[in-house]
């Protein structure tokens, strides 16, 4: 076997082996150097031959196919790969520090830290899913962090690219994954649903917040399938200091039916970044597991769960956008506000899984930052929030999908753009200022947003009644 | 080197022209046509002339069952196909018929094998429409990359170290890496009569440098071809199926 001969000083295709970085069951990792690359490199060499698991080879092939097609800060940068003819290997960027696995002995972590880690991982997942890849093995040892704080997802041996052949699915009958983290549909053989990663992240957050794995570490199919009918103890039953919003978020990720989970990782990230905006349901109030009789009823009479076919999974991509409605409550005419609402309603009607963030800027002056309370003693911020909710009230949508945000800022355009970037907004809907004189004096907010936004922008304008 | 692989043109001039124009804009170096240049469609003469021109410039072209049926009528064809072939026979010149009759059934070039149907019996024109049929091909063919047509729906099969055949229905134009350690069989969609539910003309481009295969679709003037089919008095079903891509 060729890999047995690799040792410090060995050279392959211009890479020099420096040292063994990690010895795992499926592969060996070496730190390597190459004169053309000025960042740290890792070489992954699969353990093939002998009694190696056949999944090792296929997993390596999957990684060889998928990793070169990924880009961005949330994946390790791909450098090179070698074939089985000579020496199979993949070289990619070596990330600093250790994986989340090394935090396991410090569990449970505080709520703020769990939410922060969860938000960063969810943001990374959103980026991965946008590239049509489902990771299917999200767990602490596969999560690393850049020095700048972004989560990086590693190990694509079980991953699925929705537009490439799935070698794993065809080669093996049994589902592959890591037992504690596998989503119910993954256990049933579905390998194309992005919401499986949201489930795994829910398991991770549950574990990190409580110190206990929600479904233990079962061996064998029977144990794995138990999560299809047996609900875990609510996090607050194990640790009462966990807040209701965090429990709401975790239990929504852990819903058996993927259709009841967050429809997109970006929506989950948005909730985790501001737990105060989470809409609470019965999940937040749950204080104990369901009775055994109820659980057994589910076992023998299971609720149907949505098992996505591949084609549907591809079509589902992008069907759960975050839509930001930026409304100017001081300047807009009643007509424009109505027009904006109609546009939003059309979006909601076409994409029921959309998450709507109604956004308003409370403009403050650079000099006077203390005008928080007006003459009548009403808190301006609260008043504005009430106004915003009133405006959004006629929108017909499931309760949990609309949130309201009032932000104090000097520049409305900058505030809108910052919010859109932070929350991975897919679509900004906003009104055009009515009076051209004001627009000339102040500059067009919608123009600035449309120019600099990281996403689609719809500018709503009321058609002039005189046909001008 | 970029190799454009086309199949099942079926005398559809508009689709053939659209695909050739697209290939030129993508900087294709070579052309391969996996048979069935004629049959079903209204422009067999033009398509054979174009194929002859490509062959003279170095294109690889293999014979399909419809090309063969011009000289040797087949008893296994559907009545619609037979009606169209009888019409085609009258529409072609002796030189055009000779070109079709002399095409080889398969061609091997470097690590690539080209055939209309499959390697197990090229002259019997089996359909590779599932993993079992692909497994039969792999058992008879040692080439690392095989390309066939005949089915009119694109598919990609692979044969790995584990001895199992994987199958995949291409769903986008994302280039697919044909990993070195596997053998691959690509069923190329049809230029002139696609049956994958999308009326656009199907073909593929292999990049031998990156080792990637890209399944592509190009729209063409379906209404024009359908009108010609009707004007030629060919069965109406041959015209109507084009707009549905079935």
């Amino acid at each position: 076997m060729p890999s047995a001969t690799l040792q410090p000083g060995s050279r392959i295709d211009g890479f020099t082996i420096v040292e063994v970085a990690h010895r795992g069951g499926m592969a060996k990792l070496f730190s390597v150097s190459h004169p053309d690359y000025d960042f740290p490199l890792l070489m992954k060499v699969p353990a093939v031959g002998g009694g190696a698991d056949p999944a090792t080879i296929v997993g390596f092939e999957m990684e060889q196919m998928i990793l070169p097609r990924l880009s961005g800060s949330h994946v390790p940068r791909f450098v090179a790969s070698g074939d089985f003819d000579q020496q199979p290997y993949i070289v990619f960027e070596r990330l600093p520090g250790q994986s989340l696995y090394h935090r396991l002995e410090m569990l449970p972590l505080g709520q703020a830290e769990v939410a922060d880690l969860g938000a960063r991982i969810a943001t990374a997942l959103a980026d991965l899913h946008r590239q049509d890849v489902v990771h299917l093995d999200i767990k602490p040892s596969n999560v690393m962090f850049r020095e700048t704080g972004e989560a990086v997802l590693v190990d694509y041996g079980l991953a699925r690219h929705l537009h490439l052949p799935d070698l794993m699915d065809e080669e093996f009958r049994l589902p592959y994954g890591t037992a504690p983290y596998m989503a119910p549909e993954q256990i049933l053989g579905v390998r194309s649903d992005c919401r499986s990663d949201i489930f795994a992240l829910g398991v991770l957050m549950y574990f990190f917040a409580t110190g206990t794995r929600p479904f233990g570490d079962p061996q064998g199919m029977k144990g794995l399938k138990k999560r299809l009918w047996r609900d875990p103890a609510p996090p607050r039953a194990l640790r009462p200091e966990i807040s209701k919003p965090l429990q709401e978020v975790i239990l929504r990720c852990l819903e058996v039916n993927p259709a009841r989970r967050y429809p997109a990782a970006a929506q989950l990230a948005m909730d985790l970044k501001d737990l105060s905006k989470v809409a609470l349901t019965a999940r937040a109030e749950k204080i104990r597991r369901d009775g055994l009789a109820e659980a057994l009823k589910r076992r023998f009479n299971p609720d149907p769960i949505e098992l996505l076919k591949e084609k549907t999974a591809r079509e589902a991509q992008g069907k759960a956008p975050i839509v930001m409605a930026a409304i100017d409550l001081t300047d807009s005419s009643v007509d424009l506000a109505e027009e904006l609402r109609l546009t939003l309603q059309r979006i909601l009607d076409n994409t029921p899984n959309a998450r709507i963030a109604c956004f308003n800027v409370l403009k403050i002056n650079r000099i006077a930052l203390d005008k928080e309370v007006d003459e009548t003693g009403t808190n301006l911020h609260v008043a504005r929030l009430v106004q915003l909710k009133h405006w959004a009230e006629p929108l017909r949508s499931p309760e949990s999908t609309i949130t309201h945000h009032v932000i104090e800022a000097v520049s409305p355009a900058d505030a809108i753009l910052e919010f859109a970037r932070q929350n991975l907004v897919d679509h900004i809907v906003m009104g055009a200022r009515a009076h051209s004189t004001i627009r000339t004096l102040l500059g067009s907010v919608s123009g600035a947003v449309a120019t600099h936004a990281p996403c689609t922008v719809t500018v709503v304008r009321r058609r002039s009644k005189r046909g001008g | 080197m970029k190799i454009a692989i086309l199949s099942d043109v079926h005398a559809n001039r508009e689709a053939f022209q659209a695909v050739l124009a697209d290939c030129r804009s993508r900087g294709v170096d070579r052309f391969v046509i996996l048979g069935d240049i004629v049959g079903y469609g209204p422009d067999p003469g033009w398509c054979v002339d174009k194929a002859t021109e490509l062959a003279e410039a170095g294109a690889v072209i293999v014979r399909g069952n419809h090309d063969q049926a011009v000289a040797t009528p087949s008893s296994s064809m559907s009545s619609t196909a037979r009606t169209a072939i009888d019409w085609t026979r009258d529409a072609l010149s002796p030189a055009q018929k000779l070109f079709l009759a002399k095409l080889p059934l398969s061609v091997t070039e470097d690590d690539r094998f080209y055939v209309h149907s499959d390697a197990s019996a090229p002259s019997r024109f089996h359909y590779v429409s599932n993993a079992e049929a692909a497994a039969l091909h792999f058992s008879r063919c040692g080439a690392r990359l095989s390309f066939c047509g005949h089915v009119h729906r694109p598919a990609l099969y692979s044969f790995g170290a584990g001895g199992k055949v994987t199958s995949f229905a291409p769903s986008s134009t994302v280039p697919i890496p044909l990993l070195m350690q596997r053998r691959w069989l690509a069923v190329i969609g049809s230029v002139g009569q696609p049956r994958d539910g999308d009326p656009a003309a199907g073909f593929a481009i292999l990049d031998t440098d990156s080792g990637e295969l890209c399944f592509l679709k190009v729209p063409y003037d379906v209404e024009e071809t359908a009108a010609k089919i009707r004007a030629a008095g060919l069965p109406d079903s041959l015209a109507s199926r084009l707009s549905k891509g079935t």
Side-chain angles (χ1 to χ4, degrees):
Chain A
M1 195 174 82
S3 60
T5 64
L6 290 181
Q7 49 188 308
S10 300
R11 292 175 68 100
I12 319 168
D13 300 342
F15 295 98
T16 306
I17 308 270
V18 179
E19 60 180 357
V20 178
H22 180 76
R23 236 180 268 268
M26 308 269 269
K28 242 188 220 175
L29 289 170
F30 298 97
S31 70
V32 296
S33 65
H34 191 291
D36 294 351
Y37 299 95
D38 61 355
F39 53 92
L41 302 173
L42 267 188
M43 177 181 280
K44 186 175 198 172
V45 177
V48 294
D53 186 341
T56 305
I57 297 179
V58 178
F60 178 77
E61 291 185 290
M62 292 301 290
E63 194 152 27
Q64 248 187 336
M65 286 217 276
I66 294 173
L67 198 57
R69 270 148 197 85
L70 295 175
S71 61
S73 60
H74 301 291
V75 296
R77 191 171 145 192
F78 170 81
V79 172
S81 79
D83 289 313
F84 284 80
D85 285 7
Q86 286 147 26
Q87 171 64 60
Y89 68 82
I90 305 179
V91 176
F92 46 85
E93 162 193 21
R94 177 177 196 162
L95 294 150
Q98 293 179 310
S99 75
L100 268 187
Y101 185 79
H102 295 272
R103 302 295 301 275
L104 296 193
E105 52 205 51
M106 299 162 212
L107 301 187
L109 304 182
Q111 157 160 323
E113 196 176 0
V114 172
D116 173 56
L117 288 172
R120 286 194 274 162
I121 300 169
T123 302
L125 280 176
D127 192 37
L128 193 65
H129 295 165
R130 188 182 53 76
Q131 300 181 64
D132 295 318
V133 172
V134 195
H135 190 284
L136 296 172
D137 200 16
I138 293 298
K139 58 180 176 181
S141 58
N142 283 341
V143 179
M144 309 215 29
F145 293 93
R146 291 196 185 277
E147 272 154 1
T148 41
E150 295 107 320
V152 182
L153 308 173
V154 302
D155 196 345
Y156 291 84
L158 292 178
R160 175 76 219 275
H161 190 302
L162 295 177
H163 295 294
L164 293 179
D166 184 13
L167 309 175
M168 201 50 109
D169 182 47
E170 300 285 340
E171 295 268 356
F172 306 102
R173 293 261 163 123
L174 287 173
Y176 264 83
T178 302
Y181 298 91
M182 275 171 90
E185 67 277 10
Q186 202 178 340
I187 291 165
L188 297 175
V190 172
R191 284 183 37 83
S192 48
D193 195 330
C194 289
R195 296 169 300 186
S196 303
D197 288 341
I198 289 175
F199 183 93
L201 177 51
V203 173
L204 189 150
M205 289 192 290
Y206 184 108
F207 189 17
F208 276 49
T210 65
T212 309
R213 293 184 180 91
F215 311 103
D217 187 4
Q219 312 291 319
M221 260 325 249
K222 199 177 157 210
L224 272 175
K225 280 191 170 168
K226 193 172 172 189
R227 71 194 61 176
L228 279 137
W229 52 273
R230 193 54 170 130
D231 53 322
R236 282 164 55 77
L238 302 177
R239 288 179 58 85
E241 63 270 36
I242 292 171
S243 72
K244 286 183 181 181
L246 185 61
Q247 170 161 311
E248 171 77 30
V249 172
I250 291 174
L251 291 184
R252 187 168 173 198
C253 293
L254 293 181
E255 284 282 355
V256 174
N257 186 351
R260 303 200 62 201
R261 289 176 215 147
Y262 285 91
Q267 296 193 16
L268 166 60
M270 193 171 170
D271 268 4
L272 285 166
K273 277 180 201 158
D274 185 358
L275 287 172
S276 73
K277 291 283 195 297
V278 174
L280 303 183
T281 71
R283 295 182 197 105
E285 306 298 333
K286 201 169 167 182
I287 47 169
R288 62 178 73 89
R289 301 212 292 180
D290 296 337
L292 195 58
E294 200 176 326
L296 286 175
K297 203 166 81 189
R298 277 198 297 264
R299 180 178 187 182
F300 297 109
N301 217 342
D303 295 332
I305 74 171
E306 188 175 86
L307 298 175
L308 277 196
K309 293 236 168 26
E310 251 186 70
K311 189 165 174 283
T312 329
R314 282 185 212 115
E315 289 164 359
Q317 288 293 81
K319 289 258 177 86
I322 295 179
V323 180
M324 173 182 188
I327 174 147
D328 183 347
L329 294 162
T330 52
D331 183 56
S332 297
S333 66
V334 176
D335 282 354
L336 183 61
E338 174 66 18
E339 196 72 38
L340 198 54
R341 203 164 41 220
L342 281 173
T343 306
L344 267 186
Q345 189 62 56
R346 277 198 292 273
I347 293 171
L348 271 174
D349 291 345
N350 288 324
T351 42
N353 277 330
R355 162 75 184 262
I356 307 284
C358 300
F359 185 87
N360 179 256
V361 178
L362 188 56
K363 211 165 173 306
I364 49 171
N365 296 319
R366 264 175 234 276
I367 328 144
L369 291 170
D370 54 351
K371 280 218 165 180
E372 208 172 277
V373 178
D374 72 1
E375 314 85 70
T376 52
T378 320
N379 185 310
L380 274 179
H381 187 104
V382 171
R384 199 54 83 73
L385 200 56
V386 168
Q387 240 183 315
L388 188 60
K389 283 185 175 166
H390 176 73
W391 171 79
E393 208 274 324
L395 287 170
R396 293 181 309 277
S397 145
E399 180 77 19
S400 63
T401 59
I402 298 186
T403 48
H404 309 85
H405 310 260
V406 172
I407 305 282
E408 282 87 359
V410 175
S411 155
D414 288 348
I416 291 169
L417 288 167
E418 180 60 17
F419 185 88
R421 277 188 212 108
Q422 284 297 318
N423 291 290
L424 310 174
V425 167
D426 298 288
H427 188 173
I428 300 171
V429 181
M430 61 190 299
R433 234 195 268 268
H435 312 295
S436 58
T437 39
I438 299 176
R439 194 158 61 219
T440 316
L441 286 173
L442 299 177
S444 156
V445 175
S446 57
V449 170
T451 308
H452 300 289
C455 62
T456 302
V457 178
T458 298
V459 178
V460 175
R461 183 171 284 138
R462 184 82 180 174
R463 178 172 285 283
S464 157
K465 284 188 179 118
R466 285 171 300 178
Chain B
M1 181 172 56
K2 278 189 187 172
I3 307 175
I5 306 169
L6 284 56
S7 190
D8 300 274
V9 172
H10 283 300
N12 185 334
R13 175 179 175 165
E14 289 70 32
F16 197 8
Q17 279 178 316
V19 169
L20 292 176
D22 190 70
C23 288
R24 304 233 188 262
S25 75
R26 290 172 189 271
V28 159
D29 304 292
R30 281 208 84 181
F31 283 94
V32 172
I33 301 178
L34 299 174
D36 278 4
I37 296 162
V38 300
Y40 299 138
D43 279 313
W46 190 90
C47 292
V48 172
D49 288 348
K50 183 47 90 177
T52 309
E53 192 185 301
L54 289 169
E56 281 163 1
V60 170
I61 305 183
V62 296
R63 193 198 316 155
N65 52 318
H66 287 254
D67 305 324
Q68 182 166 302
V70 171
T72 321
S74 159
S75 55
S76 61
M77 273 187 164
S78 70
S79 66
T80 308
R82 210 175 312 134
T83 306
I85 278 296
D86 292 343
W87 178 89
T88 301
R89 199 174 292 119
D90 293 341
L92 292 174
S93 71
Q96 289 165 334
K97 287 184 208 173
L98 185 66
F99 174 81
L100 294 177
K102 286 176 77 175
L103 290 172
L105 277 169
S106 68
V107 170
T108 302
E109 189 183 63
D110 299 332
D111 58 352
R112 303 180 293 276
F113 177 78
Y114 302 115
V115 69
H116 183 63
S117 56
D118 85 324
S120 74
S123 62
R124 301 179 92 169
F125 300 109
H126 293 313
Y127 289 91
V128 181
S129 35
N130 54 41
E132 288 78 49
L136 184 63
H137 167 86
F138 285 121
S139 73
R140 303 292 169 83
C141 179
R144 194 175 76 79
L145 305 176
S146 299
F147 300 89
C148 70
H150 198 34
V151 181
H152 294 219
R153 267 192 316 275
L156 181 63
Y157 300 93
S158 84
F159 185 80
K164 294 205 182 98
V165 172
T166 72
S167 52
F168 175 64
S171 52
S172 78
T173 57
V174 171
I176 301 170
L178 303 180
L179 300 174
M180 287 298 286
Q181 62 272 19
R182 283 178 177 261
R183 284 192 279 145
W184 299 85
L185 168 61
V187 182
I188 308 300
S190 167
V191 171
Q193 196 196 74
R195 297 176 194 164
D196 58 350
D198 172 6
F203 67 108
I205 292 181
L206 173 73
D207 185 327
T208 56
D209 299 322
S210 65
E212 292 174 335
L213 181 69
C214 198
F215 288 91
L216 296 161
K217 298 284 281 189
V218 174
Y220 71 96
D221 191 347
V222 176
E223 292 314 312
E224 170 74 11
T225 311
K228 284 189 193 175
I229 289 173
R230 293 191 175 105
L234 286 162
D236 190 73
S237 62
L238 293 175
S240 56
R241 72 186 304 172
L242 290 183
S243 57
K244 288 178 249 159
T246 53

